[in-house]
Amino acid sequence: MVKPSSFLLALGIVLFSSPAWADHTERDRQTEVSAFTLQAQQARLGLLKLEYGILDRWMVGTYTLPWVLMPIVKGPILNLHTKVRLLDAGNFHLAGRLGIYYANVQNIESSSVENGSFKGTIVPMSFIGSYVLSKRWTVSSELSWVQTVAHGDVESPSDSSVGGAVGQSNFQLSVSAEYRFGPHVALNLLTRFAPYVQPLELTTDAEVGPDTVVQLEAEVESGNQNAFLIQPGVTFSWGIWNLRAGLGVGNIFIPGPLLVSGLRTLVPDFDFYVRF
Amino acid sequence: MHQLRSVASGLLLLAPLACSGLSLPEGPELAELDAAYDAPEGTVDDETIAALADLSLSRLDAILGIGRLDFVTESLTDVAEVVQETAQGEGETRFQLKAVASVERQCPGDGSDPDGDGLLTYTMRVNENDVLDTVWGDFDRCRFPDTGETFPGASVLPRSEGAIVTYDGSMDVYLGGNLHLSDLSFRRFLFRLQGELELETETVAVDFDFRIHTDKRTEIRIPADGGDVVFGFTPGTTDVRLEAGDGSYCCDFAEHFCVLAEGNDCDALETGDQVLRW
């Protein structure tokens, strides 16, 4: 049994004895929608996700929300992602990002999750290029293909729905810009666009009463063709403490699996994290 | 830079691999035939009315022998509900559905041998959340128990209540227009049948169409001079509506006369201004 005081002490040592403070610097750059990675043995522990730099060019991570939901939905939602910086050529940097998300959940009902029922694997793959224009300006662009594989027959769109977004393969483009006021404050602008969302294919065998058998082959589009998101925000960084917040408008692109919802609304972005 | 181009082109190659392609079957559409019921162009007179009335009764008798295809209209309604549920997913309405429903329905038979009662198969299509208005199907030796219902006092075919009627042939159905999944209701069904009807002692060729309304009113299109005329039968009465190119009539098939129709129904059939007799 670990005493609380011992745990706090250990946490304090971990947090404050790290040599790498993570204000915005030449080396410590934001890793969201950029080609940059954490440094070796650097961690990013946040409300949204946990990430760790294995090498200077290679980091791994996982999103926290699925782990929190697992006991609630009584089904596995496993997720892992990794990013590798492939190329540093002067001010240009190129990285590849790969994630894998596996879920087998049924009958989720809450105020925020509508008829969540999903059994499938989602593999988002991205290539991200970043160009450091100046000491203050950095722009990045990301090309992503999200491959979804439904396990078993999908009998309705809700069977393939994750928090309101249908588990459809899609191709999307992102462009982001960062403007640094200094080591503590950066403005962000993120734009996403999904020009292609694959229609969901369904096969249903239904019995209607004792005498009728129906085989239904269907394609479903979720109103998320040409989905877009424009989301300005800001990141505050003070030592190891970081707060990222933003508010945009457009379709919801679920962070991590990058599934696209057909719902157009105000889309917030928020994460509070330590990086050390 | 070459490295970057390779990466981008590799990623774009993935997109076509994921393209799908559910294609909807195509065939004869019945919207035009349905319009012919609403605007008949044929004419009728004292010379032709008797033959036209007899032919309409003969076809009505065949239709009643197969129970007005009530089991088909019920099946179409049930299958449409399945499609609705699939598309909407618990209140979700933003989905755009394209679908083909392939249906196998066991025929009613007489209950003694379900496997031998024959099969109805048909295809219903959905595009952009609309049920497409024409359904194609086939009856494979489909057996019906004859309800014995006839036009009052006039059964033309050799039928009796409880006898088995077998239909073997094709079926096209027009479901009406504006069939949005979000607000789906069928108001009428137009059937076109081509096949053979086996009665107890006689086999008759079937090659005609008719329209059934939800109140069981049955309209039958009959070729006449200059086009078609449409007879409208209401269950339990010998008063028959006749729509022709030169006007609308109310007819009493028991007394063999028609009068010019006033209004949309024939409830108050007067004998004073007869214009057709046979």
Side-chain angles (χ1 to χ4, degrees):
Chain A
M1 189 69 185
V2 179
K3 292 180 182 175
S5 56
S6 305
F7 173 76
L8 289 174
L9 179 61
L11 184 65
I13 291 170
V14 166
L15 296 184
F16 296 102
S17 64
S18 169
W21 285 60
D23 287 334
H24 297 155
T25 66
E26 292 290 318
R27 282 174 59 82
D28 288 307
R29 294 178 176 275
Q30 296 193 80
T31 58
E32 283 76 19
V33 196
S34 78
F36 303 109
T37 55
L38 297 173
Q39 297 168 43
Q41 298 176 0
Q42 194 176 46
R44 178 201 190 282
L45 308 179
L47 298 176
L48 186 65
K49 59 187 177 181
L50 311 174
E51 291 178 329
Y52 183 73
I54 295 175
L55 302 173
D56 273 347
R57 291 172 170 273
W58 178 29
M59 57 182 266
V60 294
T62 186
Y63 281 82
T64 53
L65 184 61
W67 299 102
V68 173
L69 286 177
M70 269 174 39
I72 300 169
V73 301
K74 298 182 176 64
I77 315 174
L78 309 176
N79 81 94
L80 190 68
H81 61 265
T82 184
K83 184 155 87 173
V84 178
R85 215 161 70 238
L86 302 169
L87 177 69
D88 294 311
N91 289 337
F92 178 72
H93 308 270
L94 178 71
R97 188 180 188 278
L98 179 71
I100 183 162
Y101 301 79
Y102 169 79
N104 183 2
V105 296
Q106 305 290 325
N107 304 320
I108 311 169
E109 285 182 16
S110 74
S111 57
S112 60
V113 179
E114 181 187 326
N115 189 42
S117 170
F118 185 80
K119 188 178 177 187
T121 302
I122 306 164
V123 181
M125 298 165 267
S126 305
F127 284 96
I128 314 148
S130 291
Y131 195 84
V132 180
L133 292 168
S134 67
K135 192 174 177 182
R136 294 188 183 278
W137 282 101
T138 302
V139 292
S140 300
S141 180
E142 180 182 283
L143 298 174
S144 299
W145 173 255
V146 180
Q147 181 68 47
T148 65
V149 181
H151 301 302
D153 285 341
V154 175
E155 297 189 350
S156 78
S158 60
D159 288 348
S160 194
S161 157
V162 181
V166 175
Q168 296 166 286
S169 299
N170 67 75
F171 174 67
Q172 52 186 269
L173 308 165
S174 303
V175 175
S176 68
E178 176 196 276
Y179 178 81
R180 289 185 178 186
F181 283 107
H184 304 304
V185 181
L187 293 181
N188 309 307
L189 177 65
L190 170 64
T191 60
R192 289 190 183 277
F193 176 56
Y196 174 75
V197 181
Q198 184 186 29
L200 181 68
E201 292 182 28
L202 310 175
T203 304
T204 297
D205 289 313
E207 287 188 14
V208 184
D211 302 321
T212 304
V213 177
V214 183
Q215 186 192 53
L216 187 72
E217 294 175 77
E219 270 182 13
V220 181
E221 292 181 3
S222 307
N224 50 11
Q225 300 292 327
N226 295 321
F228 71 92
L229 172 66
I230 301 171
Q231 192 176 55
V234 62
T235 303
F236 298 103
S237 182
W238 191 268
I240 64 168
W241 304 99
N242 296 268
L243 177 70
R244 180 184 170 92
L247 181 65
V249 64
N251 297 77
I252 298 170
F253 289 71
I254 295 184
L258 293 179
L259 294 181
V260 183
S261 166
L263 182 65
R264 282 189 182 159
T265 182
L266 291 175
V267 183
D269 174 35
F270 181 81
D271 196 16
F272 178 68
Y273 58 95
V274 293
R275 181 167 158 174
F276 53 89
Chain B
M1 209 55 199
H2 173 71
Q3 200 174 352
L4 189 61
R5 274 200 300 270
S6 303
V7 165
S9 59
L11 201 61
L12 288 171
L13 277 174
L14 292 173
L17 294 177
C19 286
S20 60
L22 176 66
S23 57
L24 299 175
E26 294 181 355
E29 304 289 344
L30 296 192
E32 202 171 313
L33 181 59
D34 186 69
Y37 273 77
D38 295 328
E41 294 179 344
T43 57
V44 62
D45 56 31
D46 284 340
E47 300 290 316
T48 57
I49 181 65
L52 296 176
D54 285 349
L55 183 55
S56 71
L57 279 181
S58 169
R59 290 183 177 179
L60 177 67
D61 217 15
I63 294 163
L64 295 176
I66 52 178
R68 284 196 194 86
L69 293 179
D70 281 350
F71 92 103
V72 180
T73 59
E74 286 165 11
S75 176
L76 288 164
T77 305
D78 291 344
V79 169
E81 283 176 10
V82 169
V83 175
Q84 264 184 310
E85 286 167 13
T86 302
Q88 292 187 359
E90 308 237 350
E92 186 55 73
T93 55
R94 66 172 179 274
F95 297 121
Q96 283 273 317
L97 185 72
K98 178 182 181 184
V100 179
S102 305
V103 183
E104 285 187 4
R105 168 69 158 94
Q106 198 171 42
C107 294
D110 59 1
S112 60
D113 177 20
D115 291 338
D117 285 336
L119 205 61
L120 164 67
T121 55
Y122 65 85
T123 302
M124 181 184 284
R125 302 164 297 159
V126 179
N127 196 29
E128 295 182 351
N129 287 359
D130 285 347
V131 174
L132 298 190
D133 49 30
T134 302
V135 166
W136 305 296
D138 274 297
F139 292 91
D140 180 13
R141 295 202 56 76
C142 193
R143 287 155 50 91
F144 303 79
D146 194 331
T147 60
E149 181 186 357
T150 60
F151 183 79
S155 182
V156 180
L157 300 173
R159 297 172 47 213
S160 58
E161 185 175 352
I164 287 296
V165 177
T166 303
Y167 175 63
D168 191 62
S170 67
M171 167 192 82
D172 300 330
V173 191
Y174 181 76
L175 303 171
N178 300 319
L179 302 171
H180 309 303
L181 282 177
S182 58
D183 181 26
L184 187 61
S185 64
F186 296 127
R187 293 177 298 280
R188 62 174 191 262
F189 300 87
L190 167 61
F191 287 96
R192 183 168 68 185
L193 304 180
Q194 277 186 309
E196 281 190 342
L197 192 65
E198 287 181 25
L199 303 162
E200 264 185 318
T201 59
E202 188 177 337
T203 298
V204 294
V206 171
D207 187 3
F208 59 79
D209 48 80
F210 58 99
R211 200 159 72 168
I212 301 278
H213 293 257
T214 49
D215 60 1
K216 305 295 184 192
R217 193 158 45 89
T218 305
E219 294 174 297
I220 301 174
R221 186 178 62 97
I222 303 291
D225 291 340
D228 303 316
V229 295
V230 175
F231 289 91
F233 296 91
T234 302
T237 175
T238 57
D239 295 345
V240 177
R241 179 93 177 181
L242 169 60
E243 300 288 349
D246 54 356
S248 299
Y249 302 87
C250 288
C251 304
D252 186 330
F253 270 37
E255 300 296 329
H256 293 184
F257 69 86
C258 296
V259 299
L260 283 170
E262 294 176 1
N264 292 325
D265 56 49
C266 293
D267 289 343
L269 188 59
E270 300 292 340
T271 59
D273 49 356
Q274 297 172 19
V275 294
L276 294 170
R277 286 202 69 86
W278 72 98

